[in-house]
Amino acid sequence: MALSNFDRRRVNGPEESFSPIFASEKSDSNQWKIGQPRSKRGPLDIRPTFLQPGLISQANGSAYIETEQTKIACAIYGPRQPKNIAYSENGRLNVEVKFTPFSCRRRRAPLRDAEDRTIAMAVHQAIVSSVRLELLPKATIDVFITVIEADGIEGVISSASVAVSAALADAGIEILGLVVSCSASVMAKEIWLDPTEDEATASQGTLILSCIPALGTITSVWQNGQIPPGDALNAMEACQNRCTDIHGAVAQALREYSNS
Protein backbone atom coordinates (compact mmCIF):
# COMPACT_ATOMS: atom_id res chain seq x y z
CA MET A 1 0.00 0.00 0.00
CA ALA A 2 1.48 3.35 -1.08
CA LEU A 3 1.98 6.09 1.45
CA SER A 4 -0.40 9.02 1.16
CA ASN A 5 2.33 11.66 1.69
CA PHE A 6 4.66 10.16 -0.95
CA ASP A 7 5.23 12.55 -3.87
CA ARG A 8 6.01 10.63 -7.06
CA ARG A 9 6.96 13.81 -8.93
CA ARG A 10 10.05 14.37 -6.81
CA VAL A 11 13.32 12.49 -6.64
CA ASN A 12 13.56 11.41 -3.05
CA GLY A 13 17.01 11.56 -1.55
CA PRO A 14 18.67 8.83 0.49
CA GLU A 15 17.69 8.24 4.08
CA GLU A 16 21.17 9.18 5.25
CA SER A 17 22.96 12.19 3.79
CA PHE A 18 26.14 14.09 4.51
CA SER A 19 26.87 17.76 4.03
CA PRO A 20 29.26 18.53 1.13
CA ILE A 21 32.89 19.24 1.84
CA PHE A 22 34.30 22.30 0.10
CA ALA A 23 37.95 23.22 -0.34
CA SER A 24 39.10 25.83 2.09
CA GLU A 25 39.35 29.27 0.50
CA LYS A 26 42.47 29.98 2.52
CA SER A 27 45.38 27.58 2.42
CA ASP A 28 48.96 27.54 3.59
CA SER A 29 50.19 29.07 0.31
CA ASN A 30 48.27 32.28 1.00
CA GLN A 31 50.16 32.62 4.27
CA TRP A 32 53.53 32.28 2.55
CA LYS A 33 56.29 34.49 3.88
CA ILE A 34 59.66 35.43 2.41
CA GLY A 35 62.20 32.71 3.08
CA GLN A 36 59.60 30.02 3.73
CA PRO A 37 60.21 26.88 1.63
CA ARG A 38 57.65 25.44 -0.75
CA SER A 39 55.38 22.80 0.70
CA LYS A 40 54.93 19.30 -0.79
CA ARG A 41 57.43 19.73 -3.69
CA GLY A 42 60.62 21.50 -4.62
CA PRO A 43 60.82 24.88 -6.34
CA LEU A 44 61.65 23.38 -9.76
CA ASP A 45 59.29 20.40 -9.48
CA ILE A 46 56.03 20.23 -11.47
CA ARG A 47 52.87 18.36 -10.69
CA PRO A 48 52.44 14.81 -12.06
CA THR A 49 50.90 14.89 -15.53
CA PHE A 50 48.51 12.37 -17.07
CA LEU A 51 47.81 12.59 -20.81
CA GLN A 52 45.41 10.41 -22.78
CA PRO A 53 45.00 11.03 -26.54
CA GLY A 54 41.94 9.87 -28.46
CA LEU A 55 39.44 10.40 -25.65
CA ILE A 56 36.50 11.62 -27.81
CA SER A 57 35.69 9.18 -30.60
CA GLN A 58 33.37 11.58 -32.47
CA ALA A 59 36.13 14.19 -32.96
CA ASN A 60 38.90 14.07 -35.55
CA GLY A 61 41.41 14.31 -32.72
CA SER A 62 41.20 14.70 -28.97
CA ALA A 63 43.21 14.57 -25.77
CA TYR A 64 42.64 14.65 -22.03
CA ILE A 65 45.21 16.05 -19.62
CA GLU A 66 45.23 16.04 -15.85
CA THR A 67 47.70 17.68 -13.48
CA GLU A 68 46.34 17.08 -9.99
CA GLN A 69 43.52 19.65 -9.63
CA THR A 70 43.63 20.80 -13.27
CA LYS A 71 41.63 18.64 -15.66
CA ILE A 72 41.07 19.60 -19.31
CA ALA A 73 39.53 17.86 -22.32
CA CYS A 74 40.26 19.01 -25.87
CA ALA A 75 38.51 18.10 -29.13
CA ILE A 76 39.64 18.89 -32.70
CA TYR A 77 37.18 19.11 -35.60
CA GLY A 78 38.55 19.58 -39.09
CA PRO A 79 40.17 20.57 -41.26
CA ARG A 80 36.95 21.39 -43.12
CA GLN A 81 35.96 23.94 -45.75
CA PRO A 82 32.84 25.95 -44.86
CA LYS A 83 30.89 27.26 -47.83
CA ASN A 84 30.21 30.70 -46.36
CA ILE A 85 33.87 31.69 -45.87
CA ALA A 86 35.85 33.49 -48.57
CA TYR A 87 38.89 31.85 -50.09
CA SER A 88 42.18 32.33 -48.26
CA GLU A 89 45.63 30.94 -48.97
CA ASN A 90 46.19 29.88 -45.37
CA GLY A 91 43.83 27.97 -43.15
CA ARG A 92 42.31 29.27 -39.93
CA LEU A 93 42.69 27.94 -36.41
CA ASN A 94 39.76 28.70 -34.11
CA VAL A 95 40.10 28.12 -30.37
CA GLU A 96 37.17 28.16 -27.96
CA VAL A 97 37.47 27.67 -24.19
CA LYS A 98 34.58 26.79 -21.91
CA PHE A 99 34.57 26.26 -18.14
CA THR A 100 32.20 23.84 -16.51
CA PRO A 101 30.09 25.50 -13.78
CA PHE A 102 31.79 23.40 -11.09
CA SER A 103 35.37 23.84 -12.35
CA CYS A 104 36.36 26.65 -9.97
CA ARG A 105 35.96 27.28 -6.28
CA ARG A 106 33.11 29.67 -6.98
CA ARG A 107 30.44 28.42 -9.33
CA ARG A 108 30.83 29.93 -12.79
CA ALA A 109 28.02 31.18 -15.01
CA PRO A 110 27.42 29.08 -18.14
CA LEU A 111 28.00 32.13 -20.37
CA ARG A 112 31.46 32.94 -21.75
CA ASP A 113 33.32 35.83 -20.15
CA ALA A 114 36.53 37.79 -20.66
CA GLU A 115 38.66 35.14 -18.92
CA ASP A 116 37.55 32.48 -21.42
CA ARG A 117 38.57 34.68 -24.33
CA THR A 118 41.89 35.53 -22.69
CA ILE A 119 42.78 31.87 -22.25
CA ALA A 120 41.64 31.06 -25.80
CA MET A 121 43.83 33.86 -27.18
CA ALA A 122 46.86 32.70 -25.15
CA VAL A 123 46.44 29.07 -26.30
CA HIS A 124 45.94 30.18 -29.91
CA GLN A 125 49.13 32.23 -29.79
CA ALA A 126 51.08 29.28 -28.40
CA ILE A 127 49.81 26.75 -30.96
CA VAL A 128 49.17 28.58 -34.24
CA SER A 129 52.81 28.91 -35.31
CA SER A 130 53.29 25.12 -35.13
CA VAL A 131 50.42 24.23 -37.49
CA ARG A 132 51.09 24.06 -41.24
CA LEU A 133 48.13 26.24 -42.15
CA GLU A 134 49.68 27.06 -45.54
CA LEU A 135 48.86 23.49 -46.60
CA LEU A 136 45.16 23.95 -45.81
CA PRO A 137 43.78 26.77 -48.01
CA LYS A 138 40.22 27.87 -47.20
CA ALA A 139 40.10 25.31 -44.40
CA THR A 140 39.29 25.83 -40.75
CA ILE A 141 40.36 23.83 -37.73
CA ASP A 142 38.08 24.18 -34.73
CA VAL A 143 39.55 23.56 -31.28
CA PHE A 144 37.17 23.14 -28.35
CA ILE A 145 38.68 23.15 -24.86
CA THR A 146 36.57 22.16 -21.86
CA VAL A 147 38.01 22.95 -18.44
CA ILE A 148 36.60 20.35 -16.07
CA GLU A 149 38.58 21.53 -13.05
CA ALA A 150 40.88 24.52 -12.74
CA ASP A 151 43.66 25.37 -10.31
CA GLY A 152 44.74 28.77 -11.55
CA ILE A 153 44.78 30.39 -14.97
CA GLU A 154 48.49 29.61 -15.40
CA GLY A 155 47.92 25.88 -15.07
CA VAL A 156 44.93 26.04 -17.42
CA ILE A 157 46.85 27.81 -20.20
CA SER A 158 49.92 25.56 -19.99
CA SER A 159 47.93 22.31 -19.73
CA ALA A 160 45.52 23.35 -22.49
CA SER A 161 48.40 24.13 -24.85
CA VAL A 162 49.84 20.65 -24.31
CA ALA A 163 46.43 19.02 -24.78
CA VAL A 164 45.73 20.94 -28.02
CA SER A 165 49.11 19.98 -29.51
CA ALA A 166 48.55 16.32 -28.65
CA ALA A 167 45.03 16.46 -30.09
CA LEU A 168 46.34 17.98 -33.34
CA ALA A 169 48.83 15.12 -33.63
CA ASP A 170 46.04 12.63 -32.92
CA ALA A 171 43.95 14.21 -35.71
CA GLY A 172 46.76 13.69 -38.21
CA ILE A 173 47.14 17.41 -38.90
CA GLU A 174 50.64 18.28 -40.05
CA ILE A 175 52.54 20.30 -37.46
CA LEU A 176 56.13 21.43 -37.20
CA GLY A 177 56.49 19.84 -33.77
CA LEU A 178 54.78 19.25 -30.45
CA VAL A 179 54.15 22.40 -28.45
CA VAL A 180 54.62 22.09 -24.69
CA SER A 181 54.20 24.73 -22.06
CA CYS A 182 55.33 25.38 -18.50
CA SER A 183 54.47 28.12 -16.02
CA ALA A 184 56.54 29.74 -13.28
CA SER A 185 56.04 32.19 -10.44
CA VAL A 186 58.53 34.48 -8.76
CA MET A 187 58.50 34.09 -4.98
CA ALA A 188 60.99 36.65 -3.62
CA LYS A 189 64.34 35.34 -4.95
CA GLU A 190 63.07 31.86 -5.85
CA ILE A 191 61.47 30.52 -9.04
CA TRP A 192 58.61 28.09 -8.48
CA LEU A 193 57.57 26.06 -11.50
CA ASP A 194 53.97 25.02 -12.20
CA PRO A 195 52.39 27.14 -9.44
CA THR A 196 48.95 26.44 -8.05
CA GLU A 197 46.27 29.11 -7.82
CA ASP A 198 47.23 29.98 -4.25
CA GLU A 199 50.93 30.12 -5.07
CA ALA A 200 50.33 32.35 -8.10
CA THR A 201 48.22 34.69 -5.97
CA ALA A 202 50.96 35.01 -3.34
CA SER A 203 53.73 35.55 -5.92
CA GLN A 204 55.14 38.78 -7.33
CA GLY A 205 54.32 37.69 -10.87
CA THR A 206 53.83 34.68 -13.12
CA LEU A 207 55.18 33.65 -16.49
CA ILE A 208 54.08 31.01 -19.02
CA LEU A 209 56.47 29.84 -21.72
CA SER A 210 55.40 27.73 -24.71
CA CYS A 211 57.97 26.20 -27.05
CA ILE A 212 58.73 23.47 -29.56
CA PRO A 213 61.65 21.56 -28.01
CA ALA A 214 62.27 19.55 -31.19
CA LEU A 215 63.12 22.77 -33.04
CA GLY A 216 64.47 24.74 -30.10
CA THR A 217 62.04 27.62 -30.72
CA ILE A 218 59.76 29.58 -28.41
CA THR A 219 56.21 30.15 -29.64
CA SER A 220 54.77 32.30 -26.86
CA VAL A 221 55.62 34.04 -23.59
CA TRP A 222 52.79 35.24 -21.37
CA GLN A 223 53.64 37.31 -18.28
CA ASN A 224 51.53 38.72 -15.48
CA GLY A 225 52.54 40.86 -12.52
CA GLN A 226 55.78 42.66 -11.74
CA ILE A 227 58.85 40.54 -12.51
CA PRO A 228 62.37 42.04 -12.70
CA PRO A 229 64.13 41.36 -16.03
CA GLY A 230 66.73 39.10 -14.42
CA ASP A 231 64.09 36.97 -12.70
CA ALA A 232 62.07 36.79 -15.93
CA LEU A 233 65.07 35.42 -17.82
CA ASN A 234 65.76 32.89 -15.07
CA ALA A 235 62.12 31.81 -15.09
CA MET A 236 62.14 31.39 -18.88
CA GLU A 237 65.31 29.29 -18.70
CA ALA A 238 63.84 27.08 -15.97
CA CYS A 239 60.60 26.64 -17.93
CA GLN A 240 62.47 25.79 -21.12
CA ASN A 241 64.53 23.12 -19.36
CA ARG A 242 61.39 21.58 -17.87
CA CYS A 243 59.61 21.69 -21.24
CA THR A 244 62.17 19.21 -22.56
CA ASP A 245 61.01 16.64 -19.98
CA ILE A 246 57.34 17.38 -20.70
CA HIS A 247 57.96 16.93 -24.43
CA GLY A 248 59.35 13.44 -23.83
CA ALA A 249 56.31 12.47 -21.76
CA VAL A 250 53.86 13.77 -24.40
CA ALA A 251 55.70 11.99 -27.21
CA GLN A 252 55.71 8.74 -25.20
CA ALA A 253 51.94 9.01 -24.58
CA LEU A 254 51.26 9.53 -28.30
CA ARG A 255 53.53 6.63 -29.21
CA GLU A 256 51.79 4.27 -26.78
CA TYR A 257 48.37 5.34 -28.05
CA SER A 258 49.30 4.82 -31.70
CA ASN A 259 50.67 1.34 -30.96
CA SER A 260 47.61 0.27 -28.96
Side-chain angles (χ1 to χ4, degrees):
M1 181 176 179
L3 299 176
S4 59
N5 59 350
F6 184 79
D7 191 353
R8 296 182 179 276
R9 296 172 297 179
R10 296 180 180 273
V11 179
N12 295 274
E15 296 181 358
E16 296 182 0
S17 61
F18 303 91
S19 58
I21 300 176
F22 298 95
S24 177
E25 296 184 356
K26 295 184 179 180
S27 61
D28 296 337
S29 299
N30 283 333
Q31 306 298 328
W32 180 84
K33 298 180 181 179
I34 298 178
Q36 184 177 356
R38 191 179 193 179
S39 60
K40 297 184 179 180
R41 51 192 171 109
L44 300 181
D45 295 337
I46 62 175
R47 288 169 286 186
T49 302
F50 171 79
L51 178 66
Q52 178 60 52
L55 177 68
I56 305 173
S57 58
Q58 294 84 356
N60 297 101
S62 61
Y64 170 80
I65 190 170
E66 179 177 331
T67 58
E68 288 188 355
Q69 296 182 355
T70 300
K71 302 176 179 64
I72 297 174
C74 173
I76 304 289
Y77 295 91
R80 48 193 176 187
Q81 296 182 348
K83 297 181 180 180
N84 57 349
I85 295 181
Y87 175 81
S88 60
E89 295 183 359
N90 296 332
R92 298 178 57 185
L93 181 68
N94 302 323
V95 179
E96 180 178 335
V97 177
K98 184 178 181 180
F99 283 80
T100 56
F102 50 84
S103 60
C104 301
R105 294 178 179 176
R106 293 186 178 181
R107 186 175 180 86
R108 296 179 65 100
L111 301 177
R112 296 185 63 191
D113 54 14
E115 188 176 23
D116 299 347
R117 298 182 180 90
T118 300
I119 296 175
M121 182 177 60
V123 174
H124 181 275
Q125 183 179 358
I127 296 296
V128 66
S129 59
S130 68
V131 185
R132 299 289 304 275
L133 295 177
E134 67 275 8
L135 303 179
L136 305 170
K138 198 186 173 181
T140 60
I141 302 173
D142 296 322
V143 180
F144 296 96
I145 301 172
T146 302
V147 182
I148 304 173
E149 186 176 1
D151 189 12
I153 187 174
E154 293 79 13
V156 170
I157 293 176
S158 58
S159 298
S161 301
V162 175
V164 171
S165 185
L168 288 171
D170 178 50
I173 298 174
E174 188 168 350
I175 56 178
L176 297 175
L178 292 173
V179 176
V180 294
S181 182
C182 183
S183 58
S185 62
V186 178
M187 311 291 288
K189 296 182 180 180
E190 288 189 347
I191 304 296
W192 290 6
L193 295 182
D194 193 16
T196 62
E197 183 178 2
D198 296 329
E199 292 172 349
T201 303
S203 66
Q204 300 174 2
T206 57
L207 183 143
I208 303 174
L209 182 138
S210 303
C211 63
I212 306 178
L215 301 179
T217 59
I218 296 176
T219 60
S220 173
V221 177
W222 189 85
Q223 180 181 335
N224 184 27
Q226 298 179 354
I227 302 179
D231 293 339
L233 292 176
N234 294 334
M236 292 175 60
E237 183 179 358
C239 288
Q240 195 168 6
N241 294 334
R242 186 59 64 183
C243 283
T244 304
D245 301 333
I246 301 175
H247 178 268
V250 175
Q252 181 65 21
L254 290 170
R255 190 181 301 111
E256 292 177 356
Y257 174 74
S258 61
N259 295 333
S260 61

